[in-house]
Amino acid sequence: GPEESALLSQLHCRLQLTFTASAYPRSGDKAGLAAIPEQVPLFFVTDYWPSYIHMDLLNLLPHPKRLRVLDMLPPDETLPYLRNIQHLDDVQLSLQYDPQPEDWRKFDGVPLTWISQNHVPEAAALDAFARSGEGRSPRKLTVERDTPWSAGERAGIEQSPMQVQWIHSAPLARRAV
């Protein structure tokens, strides 16, 4: 609510708010979100793509915005809404497979981070992804996988011109008792 959001203005640090929820904000959430200092980026994580009503509400907020959508490519009817969200700094697409090269065309003009879960993308998929944003919108890759990469996977990643991040769980150290 607005009271909680106003407390954020008392913090003197870099801050980003992440909303991991089953839905994008609704009109009843606007007052609370609008009370957040406008320099604080808002990051929304959900399992579907925004529609008109979501775009409309997000555009009423002056904050920088990021979206992360889990386990699905956007349906064609949602693309105009995605492209028209103002102050959209990054869209993250979290998938457990390599999309087809033509799937990346949906994201023309959209800054995109591909989060590849539990696998390292094939060289052809990496190349198609990197080429999809050439000069129009940045492309980044995050690999979320705990097992080590093979020599071939590593070579494919090293040849990519993209920024790549590898996220993996650190093993817990055993302590002697």
Side-chain angles (χ1 to χ4, degrees):
E3 302 80 23
E4 291 174 316
S5 296
L7 293 174
L8 296 173
S9 63
Q10 297 174 17
L11 295 174
H12 301 288
C13 62
R14 289 183 62 190
L15 180 66
Q16 169 185 286
L17 295 178
T18 300
F19 299 91
T20 303
S22 60
Y24 291 101
R26 294 187 168 89
S27 59
D29 303 317
K30 182 182 176 260
L33 292 169
I36 296 169
E38 69 180 64
Q39 73 275 11
V40 174
L42 306 178
F43 184 28
F44 299 97
V45 180
T46 190
D47 61 357
Y48 65 99
W49 293 93
S51 66
Y52 175 82
I53 195 161
H54 308 118
M55 175 201 72
D56 191 42
L57 177 65
L58 292 173
N59 284 343
L60 294 174
L61 303 171
H63 306 79
K65 297 167 200 79
R66 294 172 51 219
L67 304 178
R68 182 174 181 175
V69 179
L70 309 173
D71 300 324
M72 69 177 293
L73 290 163
D76 290 343
E77 62 271 12
T78 65
L79 295 173
Y81 310 122
L82 177 66
R83 286 196 185 100
N84 286 296
I85 295 174
Q86 298 167 6
H87 311 291
L88 184 60
D89 292 340
D90 188 34
V91 173
Q92 298 179 4
L93 174 59
S94 181
L95 295 173
Q96 297 186 35
Y97 61 91
D98 292 347
Q100 297 299 312
E102 59 272 10
D103 290 331
W104 298 124
R105 284 189 222 126
K106 293 181 174 196
F107 297 98
D108 282 348
V110 175
L112 184 62
T113 300
W114 176 13
I115 300 174
S116 182
Q117 293 188 310
N118 301 317
H119 83 287
V120 177
E122 299 287 329
L126 283 172
D127 184 56
F129 179 61
R131 283 186 289 110
S132 72
E134 287 179 338
R136 296 179 310 276
S137 51
R139 298 290 187 250
K140 299 176 199 165
L141 173 68
T142 297
V143 177
E144 290 184 356
R145 187 174 98 169
D146 292 340
T147 56
W149 299 356
S150 71
E153 290 169 335
R154 182 176 173 165
I157 292 292
E158 288 175 345
Q159 292 173 9
S160 174
M162 287 181 295
Q163 175 184 332
V164 178
Q165 177 182 26
W166 180 17
I167 297 176
H168 61 94
S169 301
L172 297 175
R174 296 183 123 182
R175 293 194 296 168
V177 181

